[in-house]
PDB file of all heavy atoms in Angstrom:
ATOM      1  N   ALA A 414      66.092 138.598  27.128  1.00  0.00           N
ATOM      2  CA  ALA A 414      67.019 139.679  26.770  1.00  0.00           C
ATOM      3  C   ALA A 414      67.304 140.576  27.975  1.00  0.00           C
ATOM      4  O   ALA A 414      68.426 141.063  28.145  1.00  0.00           O
ATOM      5  CB  ALA A 414      66.449 140.496  25.616  1.00  0.00           C
ATOM      6  N   SER A 415      66.297 140.795  28.807  1.00  0.00           N
ATOM      7  CA  SER A 415      66.487 141.655  29.985  1.00  0.00           C
ATOM      8  C   SER A 415      67.411 141.018  31.011  1.00  0.00           C
ATOM      9  O   SER A 415      67.999 141.711  31.844  1.00  0.00           O
ATOM     10  CB  SER A 415      65.132 141.967  30.628  1.00  0.00           C
ATOM     11  OG  SER A 415      64.590 140.812  31.250  1.00  0.00           O
ATOM     12  N   LYS A 416      67.550 139.692  30.953  1.00  0.00           N
ATOM     13  CA  LYS A 416      68.420 138.985  31.892  1.00  0.00           C
ATOM     14  C   LYS A 416      69.754 138.601  31.277  1.00  0.00           C
ATOM     15  O   LYS A 416      70.613 138.039  31.959  1.00  0.00           O
ATOM     16  CB  LYS A 416      67.721 137.716  32.393  1.00  0.00           C
ATOM     17  CG  LYS A 416      66.415 137.967  33.133  1.00  0.00           C
ATOM     18  CD  LYS A 416      65.969 136.737  33.903  1.00  0.00           C
ATOM     19  CE  LYS A 416      65.834 135.534  33.017  1.00  0.00           C
ATOM     20  NZ  LYS A 416      65.529 134.311  33.778  1.00  0.00           N
ATOM     21  N   PHE A 417      69.934 138.887  29.995  1.00  0.00           N
ATOM     22  CA  PHE A 417      71.153 138.485  29.310  1.00  0.00           C
ATOM     23  C   PHE A 417      72.335 139.298  29.821  1.00  0.00           C
ATOM     24  O   PHE A 417      72.279 140.524  29.886  1.00  0.00           O
ATOM     25  CB  PHE A 417      70.992 138.664  27.807  1.00  0.00           C
ATOM     26  CG  PHE A 417      72.211 138.285  27.015  1.00  0.00           C
ATOM     27  CD1 PHE A 417      72.568 136.953  26.890  1.00  0.00           C
ATOM     28  CD2 PHE A 417      72.991 139.253  26.401  1.00  0.00           C
ATOM     29  CE1 PHE A 417      73.690 136.591  26.150  1.00  0.00           C
ATOM     30  CE2 PHE A 417      74.111 138.894  25.670  1.00  0.00           C
ATOM     31  CZ  PHE A 417      74.465 137.564  25.539  1.00  0.00           C
ATOM     32  N   GLU A 418      73.413 138.612  30.172  1.00  0.00           N
ATOM     33  CA  GLU A 418      74.612 139.281  30.685  1.00  0.00           C
ATOM     34  C   GLU A 418      75.566 139.510  29.512  1.00  0.00           C
ATOM     35  O   GLU A 418      76.051 138.551  28.910  1.00  0.00           O
ATOM     36  CB  GLU A 418      75.244 138.416  31.777  1.00  0.00           C
ATOM     37  CG  GLU A 418      76.300 139.135  32.605  1.00  0.00           C
ATOM     38  CD  GLU A 418      77.635 139.150  31.914  1.00  0.00           C
ATOM     39  OE1 GLU A 418      78.224 138.072  31.750  1.00  0.00           O
ATOM     40  OE2 GLU A 418      78.079 140.254  31.512  1.00  0.00           O
ATOM     41  N   PRO A 419      75.837 140.761  29.147  1.00  0.00           N
ATOM     42  CA  PRO A 419      76.504 141.034  27.867  1.00  0.00           C
ATOM     43  C   PRO A 419      77.990 140.721  27.816  1.00  0.00           C
ATOM     44  O   PRO A 419      78.534 140.538  26.726  1.00  0.00           O
ATOM     45  CB  PRO A 419      76.266 142.540  27.677  1.00  0.00           C
ATOM     46  CG  PRO A 419      76.094 143.069  29.065  1.00  0.00           C
ATOM     47  CD  PRO A 419      75.421 141.992  29.838  1.00  0.00           C
ATOM     48  N   LYS A 420      78.676 140.641  28.950  1.00  0.00           N
ATOM     49  CA  LYS A 420      80.126 140.471  28.911  1.00  0.00           C
ATOM     50  C   LYS A 420      80.536 139.017  28.710  1.00  0.00           C
ATOM     51  O   LYS A 420      81.409 138.711  27.889  1.00  0.00           O
ATOM     52  CB  LYS A 420      80.762 141.015  30.189  1.00  0.00           C
ATOM     53  CG  LYS A 420      82.281 141.054  30.118  1.00  0.00           C
ATOM     54  CD  LYS A 420      82.879 141.768  31.317  1.00  0.00           C
ATOM     55  CE  LYS A 420      84.400 141.845  31.198  1.00  0.00           C
ATOM     56  NZ  LYS A 420      85.011 142.510  32.382  1.00  0.00           N
ATOM     57  N   PHE A 421      79.903 138.108  29.463  1.00  0.00           N
ATOM     58  CA  PHE A 421      80.259 136.696  29.369  1.00  0.00           C
ATOM     59  C   PHE A 421      79.093 135.823  28.918  1.00  0.00           C
ATOM     60  O   PHE A 421      79.224 134.606  28.856  1.00  0.00           O
ATOM     61  CB  PHE A 421      80.797 136.193  30.712  1.00  0.00           C
ATOM     62  CG  PHE A 421      82.159 136.718  31.046  1.00  0.00           C
ATOM     63  CD1 PHE A 421      82.311 137.891  31.774  1.00  0.00           C
ATOM     64  CD2 PHE A 421      83.295 136.072  30.604  1.00  0.00           C
ATOM     65  CE1 PHE A 421      83.559 138.389  32.072  1.00  0.00           C
ATOM     66  CE2 PHE A 421      84.558 136.560  30.909  1.00  0.00           C
ATOM     67  CZ  PHE A 421      84.698 137.728  31.632  1.00  0.00           C
ATOM     68  N   GLY A 422      77.975 136.438  28.585  1.00  0.00           N
ATOM     69  CA  GLY A 422      76.833 135.665  28.141  1.00  0.00           C
ATOM     70  C   GLY A 422      76.100 135.013  29.299  1.00  0.00           C
ATOM     71  O   GLY A 422      76.461 135.158  30.466  1.00  0.00           O
ATOM     72  N   GLY A 423      75.061 134.296  28.960  1.00  0.00           N
ATOM     73  CA  GLY A 423      74.263 133.648  29.992  1.00  0.00           C
ATOM     74  C   GLY A 423      73.170 134.570  30.499  1.00  0.00           C
ATOM     75  O   GLY A 423      73.085 135.744  30.111  1.00  0.00           O
ATOM     76  N   PHE A 424      72.352 134.028  31.369  1.00  0.00           N
ATOM     77  CA  PHE A 424      71.182 134.746  31.849  1.00  0.00           C
ATOM     78  C   PHE A 424      71.250 134.841  33.366  1.00  0.00           C
ATOM     79  O   PHE A 424      71.316 133.834  34.065  1.00  0.00           O
ATOM     80  CB  PHE A 424      69.912 134.045  31.393  1.00  0.00           C
ATOM     81  CG  PHE A 424      69.873 133.854  29.904  1.00  0.00           C
ATOM     82  CD1 PHE A 424      70.361 132.691  29.318  1.00  0.00           C
ATOM     83  CD2 PHE A 424      69.399 134.869  29.081  1.00  0.00           C
ATOM     84  CE1 PHE A 424      70.364 132.531  27.940  1.00  0.00           C
ATOM     85  CE2 PHE A 424      69.399 134.709  27.698  1.00  0.00           C
ATOM     86  CZ  PHE A 424      69.879 133.546  27.137  1.00  0.00           C
ATOM     87  N   GLY A 425      71.249 136.069  33.859  1.00  0.00           N
ATOM     88  CA  GLY A 425      71.461 136.298  35.281  1.00  0.00           C
ATOM     89  C   GLY A 425      72.840 136.871  35.493  1.00  0.00           C
ATOM     90  O   GLY A 425      73.624 137.065  34.557  1.00  0.00           O
TER      91      GLY A 425
END
Side-chain angles (χ1 to χ4, degrees):
S415 70
K416 299 195 304 174
F417 179 71
E418 193 278 294
K420 188 172 182 182
F421 288 91
F424 305 92

